[in-house]
Amino acid sequence: MKLKATAAVLSAAALFAACSDEVVNVNDEAKEKATFTFKVVDDYTGNAIAEASVYSVMDDESETTDSLGIVSWSKNAIGNYVYYVSAEGYKTIQVGASADEVGQGNVARVPDVFKEVRMVKGGVEATGTILYNDAETGATKPASKVKVFANCGSKFVPSEMSATTDANGKFTFDDLPAGTSCAITVGQTEIGSKLYSGANIGATTAHRSGEVENLSIATLSPVRTSLVKISDNLKEISSVSTALTFVFSAEVDADSIPGKWIVRQNGDKILVSVSLSKDKKTVTVKPFSGKWDEDASYTVSADVYSVDGAYEDVYASFAVGAKGASGAPANVKNLAAEDDDGYILLSWKGETDRYYNVYWKTSEMNAFERLDYCYGSSYSYDDWYCEEESYEFNPRITADVEFIEFVVLPVNDDGVEADINGAKSVKYVIE
């Protein structure tokens, strides 16, 4: 195969790793508890902030800073503490302080701690618009009642704020912290009954309270559900009156049924009727005459689409009266992937004159997906090529892909695929 590369106690470890405590006194006096002193100042001017509230999460009590912006908490036993600091016109932040023992032996010495707390003003306004591509019509429309999030960092309380779009898809945050990069995002969201992708809208850069930032327009796209054939009854066609059934992992688009299912006998197309179950996941195929020919062999093929546009092609053979005629084929051996003049060449040892399903998974994918099928004789199409036991392909790979992993499964004439539990994968690392 050829391929070219495209207000509770917080997490103490994270919080206290970001704080640097200044030790005020280290003396020989035995001391089991520490005093925490905070000086609250404006981050931009450095001026002291009087009457700021410092709330102790552990003690559930508040103290107020004096005219110099100073407040103290005494008698703090050894351990980690969290405080919320708030002041009029400023964004509430969380501060950690730690009482650590530095004594040796049986003598406890716990230094006092002084910490400067720098606060930023709020009042930054950020606004933007969310649109979506309608899954049914493809038209671009305003996305109303969609929740948008602003994440300004873990030191703020709360660290994440939300706003909801109006009928025109517009959203507004009116009190974000100044001089702070707040990431504005939309997660996966449901519009109507359809699921749409999330989006990173941008980040705020305003340095002054009262500034307004107009963010870019974000357009959400429908999430495409993977469409996979889960099962069929092809190896169970033991009677001339048995209908074919194909079960899929997602709802099949009813409009993609007519004319898309083709059954042939000896190369000749035969007349069939095709129906879709109420849950839209099972397709039934019957000969229009009501019966197949006894002991005859057929092929069935179809282009199948889900209701949200995912695709799966079906190609298989079945024989009437051949119930249990053949089991799963043996897995391929010596599966390898190597560079071949800028492509990736997959090779393996298997049988000629049979179909092989080629599955792949990149470092950006969570599950293996079928890439295509290959017939072990000679066959070429577009920029992939298959001859005997090799396969080459030129997919479009993003620059973030670190590796590609492949699995090749042989398929019997009756559509039975090799047991995945016996298969071995091969990984190709993108240089």
Side-chain angles (χ1 to χ4, degrees):
M1 168 172 182
K2 284 189 175 180
L3 174 147
K4 273 189 178 177
T6 289
V9 178
L10 307 174
S11 172
L15 180 60
F16 297 108
C19 297
S20 178
D21 294 342
E22 180 183 343
V23 175
V24 175
N25 68 305
V26 177
N27 50 47
D28 295 331
E29 179 186 356
K31 188 167 175 289
E32 296 182 350
K33 295 185 179 181
T35 296
F36 299 152
T37 300
F38 302 104
K39 181 178 178 62
V40 182
V41 300
D42 183 290
D43 183 62
Y44 182 71
T45 65
N47 295 333
I49 301 176
E51 297 185 359
S53 174
V54 181
Y55 168 76
S56 169
V57 174
M58 181 171 290
D59 298 329
D60 191 24
E61 293 180 0
S62 296
E63 295 289 348
T64 303
T65 59
D66 61 18
S67 61
L68 299 178
I70 293 175
V71 66
S72 294
W73 289 82
S74 60
K75 298 181 180 180
N76 297 291
I78 294 170
N80 299 322
Y81 297 78
V82 175
Y83 297 86
Y84 294 163
V85 184
S86 58
E88 185 176 354
Y90 293 86
K91 302 301 293 183
T92 300
I93 61 174
Q94 60 187 16
V95 178
S98 178
D100 299 317
E101 182 179 359
V102 298
Q104 296 180 354
N106 296 324
V107 180
R109 296 185 179 91
V110 182
D112 295 334
V113 173
F114 175 87
K115 185 181 294 291
E116 184 177 75
V117 179
R118 307 187 71 88
M119 302 190 70
V120 297
K121 291 186 176 181
V124 169
E125 181 178 316
T127 184
T129 301
I130 309 296
L131 308 176
Y132 73 100
N133 293 324
D134 189 274
E136 301 292 339
T137 66
T140 302
K141 301 179 180 180
S144 63
K145 298 181 180 180
V146 169
K147 186 165 286 189
V148 184
F149 298 93
N151 192 315
C152 301
S154 60
K155 74 175 183 178
F156 292 100
V157 181
S159 62
E160 186 174 72
M161 291 163 277
S162 65
T164 304
T165 57
D166 61 17
N168 297 315
K170 183 179 179 179
F171 66 88
T172 300
F173 292 94
D174 57 11
D175 191 27
L176 297 177
T180 303
S181 177
C182 297
I184 312 298
T185 61
V186 176
Q188 276 195 353
T189 186
E190 193 172 272
I191 302 175
S193 60
K194 303 295 183 181
L195 188 65
Y196 288 80
S197 62
N200 294 319
I201 302 169
T204 60
T205 58
H207 294 285
R208 300 287 189 278
S209 177
E211 287 190 46
V212 178
E213 292 199 43
N214 293 310
L215 301 171
S216 60
I217 296 174
T219 303
L220 311 181
S221 299
V223 174
R224 304 298 185 187
T225 305
S226 177
L227 183 67
V228 178
K229 180 174 69 70
I230 297 175
S231 64
D232 60 52
N233 68 335
L234 297 184
K235 66 179 182 180
E236 301 172 1
I237 308 300
S238 59
S239 167
V240 295
S241 60
T242 306
L244 311 182
T245 58
F246 298 83
V247 182
F248 295 91
S249 61
E251 292 185 7
V252 174
D253 183 2
D255 292 337
S256 72
I257 295 297
K260 298 298 191 297
W261 288 80
I262 308 298
V263 178
R264 298 182 184 274
Q265 182 183 15
N266 299 322
D268 296 325
K269 180 180 176 181
I270 67 169
L271 196 60
V272 295
S273 62
V274 187
S275 61
L276 186 61
S277 63
K278 289 184 178 181
D279 65 1
K280 297 184 179 182
K281 292 185 178 181
T282 301
V283 176
T284 301
V285 181
K286 299 179 181 179
F288 188 72
S289 64
K291 293 183 179 180
W292 309 108
D293 288 341
E294 189 75 50
D295 298 326
S297 296
Y298 297 85
T299 61
V300 55
S301 60
D303 297 325
V304 188
Y305 291 87
S306 71
V307 293
D308 58 9
Y311 170 77
E312 170 80 337
D313 74 290
V314 173
Y315 185 89
S317 302
F318 66 96
V320 179
K323 181 176 183 180
S326 61
N331 278 285
V332 301
K333 298 180 180 179
N334 303 334
L335 179 62
E338 58 184 341
D339 179 77
D340 184 15
D341 192 23
Y343 289 78
I344 296 173
L345 176 64
L346 268 187
S347 62
W348 62 86
K349 183 177 181 180
E351 299 179 47
T352 58
D353 298 323
R354 77 153 63 248
Y355 283 95
Y356 294 89
N357 283 333
V358 180
Y359 295 84
W360 76 335
K361 182 177 78 67
T362 74
S363 57
E364 301 296 300
M365 297 160 57
N366 292 323
F368 280 94
E369 297 179 2
R370 195 177 79 153
L371 178 63
D372 221 315
Y373 68 88
C374 172
Y375 188 73
S377 178
S378 62
Y379 185 86
S380 63
Y381 176 76
D382 196 84
D383 48 11
W384 64 268
Y385 167 80
C386 173
E387 184 172 5
E388 296 185 357
E389 296 85 41
S390 65
Y391 180 89
E392 54 194 28
F393 186 71
N394 182 10
R396 293 154 183 81
I397 300 299
T398 66
D400 295 331
V401 171
E402 299 175 355
F403 65 83
I404 308 173
E405 193 169 1
F406 300 95
V407 174
V408 175
L409 298 180
V411 183
N412 273 346
D413 290 340
D414 57 5
V416 178
E417 192 176 60
D419 185 3
I420 183 60
N421 292 321
K424 294 183 178 180
S425 64
V426 63
K427 183 181 291 186
Y428 183 87
V429 178
I430 304 295
E431 298 294 341

